[in-house]
Amino acid sequence: MAKQRLTALSDLKRKFGHFKELEECMADLDRLLTEIDDKNANAAGHGEVGEAYRTQVEKGTTGLHEITNSVKDALGNTWSAGAATTDVLNQADQDNNNTAKNW
């Protein structure tokens, strides 16, 4: 049976980099939601009708902001942990190579 070896793929950091791109997309989406909130705040005026409108509309966008930020945080955490893991695996490969050369 062949020995199994744990190594970092040469493009592992690049692959985890996609999570950073997705995190940035979610941040962009949240900025767009904020623009929508601002437009909704001014759309129906400031009377009773406007207040009733904003009360209903804000419920939906508040939930969207929460979901967007949760997904953004999860993507950012995955990117960060993946980059750190890649660094650890690369360092382990270097250490193993140095040990093998000095053996």
Side-chain angles (χ1 to χ4, degrees):
M1 181 174 193
K3 286 187 178 180
Q4 292 184 0
R5 184 175 164 201
L6 181 62
T7 59
L9 300 174
S10 60
D11 64 344
L12 188 59
K13 210 167 219 178
R14 182 187 59 78
K15 287 182 179 181
F16 275 108
H18 293 298
F19 286 97
K20 183 67 174 169
E21 293 170 14
L22 292 170
E23 177 191 27
E24 292 167 0
C25 287
M26 295 307 289
D28 290 343
L29 177 58
D30 193 60
R31 281 190 287 278
L32 290 173
L33 289 171
T34 299
E35 287 180 27
I36 291 169
D37 289 343
D38 293 343
K39 288 177 182 179
N40 280 333
N42 296 316
H46 298 287
E48 283 184 41
V49 173
E51 270 305 309
Y53 172 76
R54 280 188 297 283
T55 301
Q56 292 302 311
V57 170
E58 287 174 358
K59 291 178 187 176
T61 57
T62 299
L64 286 174
H65 279 289
E66 290 171 1
I67 291 168
T68 301
N69 286 315
S70 292
V71 171
K72 178 179 67 83
D73 291 345
L75 291 167
N77 290 337
T78 302
W79 168 75
S80 197
T85 300
T86 301
D87 290 342
V88 168
L89 291 172
N90 286 333
Q91 185 61 49
D93 280 346
Q94 287 178 347
D95 291 348
N96 287 338
N97 287 336
N98 289 339
T99 301
K101 287 178 187 174
N102 294 327
W103 185 253

